[in-house]
Amino acid sequence: MQALGLMGGTFDPVHFGHLRLAEEALEALGLEAVRWIPSGRPGHRDPPLASALHRVEMVRLAIADQPLFRLDVAETRTLDETFTINTLHRLRRELGELRPLVMIVGMDSFLSLASWRAWQDLFALAHFAVGERPGFMLSAQTMVGGLALEYARRTAEPDAVQRSPGGAIVTFPMTALDISATDLRERLGRGASARYLLPETVLAYIRAHRLYR
Ligand code: ATP
């Protein structure tokens, strides 16, 4: 059973940083596919600006050309706040206990892990694959709240994600792309160009629906 990648996020809007993160994880870790899981109402951050419906449609457009990218809209169908721990329990119910699952995260997300709900329980459900992101690095100073200890205990080579259902933390190099949704929202808000930072189809959707203005 090949490992399945999970790409969670608000995708407000989705951009080339997200797409390269998923693509490079797919390649570096030999994943069977990557399931994109837009969050509905994320429990641990400010509410997204665009509605869940729009964010889902933007992800759908962004991943349309890559057959190994799949869309999972379940989180956007509930009015409850969404937490990764609940997502992983749902996926285990659907996919069984044995399939290796890999949460793909950028380094900034990984460094905030100790503030996620029931974070230490996440490792029993999935591996973590951490992609490098400009401006962020793993060190004793940046890994706070017990994360450094967990990292030391679980760090492994990338092929570890194929050998068990979960529990390892692996890092992989990623083409540095200093693109963020926050910056994109700000650009779009002041009517500046966002071209070449996200797929043209997504940009056309944003224009058509007058998002982020
Ligand atoms: P925001 O600026 O609104 O916080 P974001 O651009 O960081 O958004 P999210 O939807 O919060 O995007 O992120 C989803 C996942 O993608 C997270 O794991 C995040 O670390 C990762 N990610 C986002 N942008 C990049 C990037 N440029 N390089 C590497 N990882 C990224």
Side-chain angles (χ1 to χ4, degrees), residues 15-48:
H15 55 69
F16 286 134
H18 300 131
L19 287 157
R20 283 307 302 182
L21 177 65
E23 180 77 4
E24 295 193 26
L26 190 72
E27 201 166 41
L29 308 175
L31 303 176
E32 182 195 352
V34 175
R35 207 188 257 223
W36 289 67
I37 313 175
S39 62
R41 219 152 57 83
H44 67 282
R45 56 174 290 165
D46 293 339

Side-chain angles (χ1 to χ4, degrees), residues 35-38 40 71-78 82 90 94:
R35 207 188 257 223
W36 289 67
I37 313 175
L71 182 58
D72 177 338
V73 301
E75 312 289 307
T76 63
R77 297 272 161 84
T78 159
T82 50
R90 168 174 71 81
E94 182 193 330

Side-chain angles (χ1 to χ4, degrees), residues 7-13 15-18 21 45 104-110 131-134 174-175 177-183 185:
M7 180 73 197
T10 44
F11 309 122
D12 188 25
H15 55 69
F16 286 134
H18 300 131
L21 177 65
R45 56 174 290 165
I104 303 167
V105 293
M107 199 158 283
D108 59 307
S109 292
F110 182 72
E132 290 162 3
R133 186 169 184 181
M174 191 200 140
T175 306
L177 289 172
D178 199 359
I179 304 173
S180 76
T182 302
D183 172 66
R185 290 192 298 275

Side-chain angles (χ1 to χ4, degrees), residues 31-96:
L31 303 176
E32 182 195 352
V34 175
R35 207 188 257 223
W36 289 67
I37 313 175
S39 62
R41 219 152 57 83
H44 67 282
R45 56 174 290 165
D46 293 339
L49 219 58
S51 69
L53 184 115
H54 285 314
R55 291 181 292 108
V56 162
E57 286 315 307
M58 289 188 281
V59 171
R60 196 190 303 282
L61 290 167
I63 68 175
D65 294 338
Q66 168 47 296
L68 297 182
F69 287 172
R70 319 263 156 79
L71 182 58
D72 177 338
V73 301
E75 312 289 307
T76 63
R77 297 272 161 84
T78 159
L79 291 176
D80 299 337
E81 290 186 329
T82 50
F83 292 95
T84 301
I85 187 77
N86 302 338
T87 306
L88 290 178
H89 279 302
R90 168 174 71 81
L91 292 172
R92 280 289 168 214
R93 281 195 296 276
E94 182 193 330
L95 301 165

Side-chain angles (χ1 to χ4, degrees), residues 99-115:
R99 163 80 70 101
L101 296 179
V102 185
M103 284 289 306
I104 303 167
V105 293
M107 199 158 283
D108 59 307
S109 292
F110 182 72
L111 290 174
S112 74
L113 196 67
S115 67

